[in-house]
């Protein structure tokens, strides 16, 4: 085509990003497939040691994972795992991007585990979520990693029946709730800025909303774990904490809050 290699690569990357944005606007799965193909082409013309290579394959892996999560996306799961694992290998220890990439790879492995029931994928995902949670500086990312780890521990419990997996899940959800609360207090619009952490109780803004949703989810799933462990009093306390978080949201939590209320009512004498 006569274009220099670096310019050809840049064209492929830009075209891939445009296809991702088109998917976000129209919801057509083929746009994600096209985006992944364009990122693939770009990756073949960029040396692995060149700055920006790992960012490119992160975008490639994200496009594949989004496609894999759609109802008919199972055939894309292996590619997503492969590319995201490559992205992890291309990210140095201590890189601030690493926790997010560990989290994304773990999510891809969980998705493949659900399709193939391969416990190796589940164990690796548990390990990656733990690494992400322990190394993330961003409290919201940390909360998301703890949430995912709690879910992975619950999945492991379903296979093994080991009570310690429920204990681990409950602990992960507790840490998720703590991290989400910290994220909410630090986010712009929390009403907590300059007040030492607790603030005025006002919540306004997407970052605060995301943090409060994560906190509510963490408390709800902690309640589910306590129910499974035969601890109804602890489950009630967790569901009450979830209900309190749902009430802080502009929409009151919607269907998720209703589910929490149903579980709480079921356990309330």
């Amino acid at each position: 085509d006569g274009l220099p290699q670096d310019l050809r690569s840049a064209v492929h990357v830009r075209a891939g990003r445009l296809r991702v944005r088109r998917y976000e606007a129209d919801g057509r799965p083929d746009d994600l497939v096209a985006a992944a193909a364009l990122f693939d082409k770009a990756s073949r013309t960029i040396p692995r040691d060149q700055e920006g290579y790992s960012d490119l394959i992160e975008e490639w892996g994200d496009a594949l994972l989004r496609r894999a999560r759609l109802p008919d996306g199972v055939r894309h799961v292996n590619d997503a795992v492969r590319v995201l694992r490559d992205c992890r290998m291309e990210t140095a220890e201590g890189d601030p991007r690493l926790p997010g990439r560990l989290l994304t790879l773990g999510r891809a492995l969980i998705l493949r585990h659900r399709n193939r029931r391969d416990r190796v994928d589940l164990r690796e995902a548990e390990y990656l979520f733990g690494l992400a949670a322990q190394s993330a500086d961003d409290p919201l990312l940390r909360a998301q990693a703890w949430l995912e780890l709690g879910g992975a521990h619950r999945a492991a419990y379903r296979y093994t029946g080991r009570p310690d997996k429920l204990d681990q899940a409950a602990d992960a959800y507790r840490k998720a709730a703590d991290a989400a609360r910290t994220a909410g207090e630090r986010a712009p619009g929390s009403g907590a800025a300059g007040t030492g952490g607790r603030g005025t109780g006002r919540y306004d803004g997407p970052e605060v909303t995301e943090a409060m949703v994560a906190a509510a989810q963490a408390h709800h799933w902690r309640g589910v774990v306590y129910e499974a462990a035969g601890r109804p009093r602890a489950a009630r306390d967790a569901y009450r904490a979830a209900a309190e978080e749902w009430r802080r949201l502009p929409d009151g939590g919607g269907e998720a809050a209703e589910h929490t209320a149903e579980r709480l009512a079921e356990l309330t004498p």
Side-chain angles (χ1 to χ4, degrees):
D1 53 19
L3 290 174
Q5 181 171 292
D6 58 344
L7 182 56
R8 186 165 61 250
S9 173
V11 168
H12 286 146
V13 171
R14 180 169 176 78
R17 289 170 178 168
L18 287 172
R19 294 302 289 261
V20 170
R21 286 200 287 271
R22 184 181 297 177
Y23 166 76
E24 291 170 347
D26 301 334
R28 293 176 52 188
D30 287 349
D31 283 323
L32 289 176
V33 176
L38 287 161
F39 292 140
D40 185 5
K41 286 182 180 180
S43 74
R44 298 173 191 272
T45 61
I46 298 178
R48 297 180 74 91
D49 60 354
Q50 181 173 314
E51 184 178 358
Y53 178 79
S54 67
D55 291 333
L56 167 61
I57 56 176
E58 181 178 27
E59 290 187 79
W60 179 14
D62 284 342
L64 287 167
L65 181 56
R66 292 175 78 170
R67 182 64 185 89
R69 283 174 160 169
L70 298 177
D72 60 344
V74 62
R75 67 185 182 277
H76 300 281
V77 176
N78 285 338
D79 286 339
V81 170
R82 172 180 57 81
V83 173
L84 291 168
R85 181 172 278 131
D86 192 23
C87 181
R88 182 221 176 161
M89 297 302 295
E90 293 295 328
T91 309
E93 294 294 328
D95 189 313
R97 298 169 298 182
L98 183 58
R101 292 174 177 181
L102 294 171
L103 177 60
T104 305
L105 174 56
R107 286 168 168 165
L109 287 164
I110 286 292
L111 185 60
R112 189 166 73 175
H113 163 71
R114 290 171 183 163
N115 292 323
R116 294 173 25 176
R117 295 294 186 264
D118 187 336
R119 289 180 60 188
V120 173
D121 283 341
L122 178 58
R123 286 195 292 269
E124 184 179 357
E126 285 183 279
Y127 173 70
L128 293 174
F129 292 145
L131 283 181
Q134 292 161 14
S135 60
D137 291 329
D138 176 11
L140 183 56
L141 178 60
R142 199 160 60 241
Q144 292 166 342
W146 285 123
L147 274 170
E148 296 285 7
L149 182 57
H153 286 326
R154 287 174 48 243
Y157 171 75
R158 290 193 290 271
Y159 279 96
T160 66
R162 289 168 44 189
D164 64 304
K165 285 296 178 183
L166 290 180
D167 294 338
Q168 291 171 12
D171 185 58
Y173 288 134
R174 179 185 59 77
K175 290 176 178 176
D178 289 344
R181 184 175 61 250
T182 298
E185 291 169 352
R186 293 181 183 177
S190 68
T195 65
R198 292 309 300 171
T200 63
R202 293 183 293 103
Y203 292 88
D204 183 22
E207 293 180 31
V208 180
T209 296
E210 191 173 1
M212 293 303 99
V213 168
Q217 289 174 334
H219 287 305
H220 177 91
W221 286 113
R222 193 162 54 91
V224 170
V225 168
Y226 285 142
E227 279 198 81
R231 299 177 58 188
R233 181 177 297 178
R236 285 196 300 271
D237 290 344
Y239 288 135
R240 288 191 184 105
E244 181 179 346
E245 296 293 346
W246 289 129
R247 283 193 293 269
R248 298 186 183 197
L249 293 167
D251 66 351
E255 291 184 7
E258 292 176 6
H259 186 44
T260 296
E262 289 170 2
R263 296 309 316 142
L264 181 58
E266 185 73 20
L267 293 172
T268 302

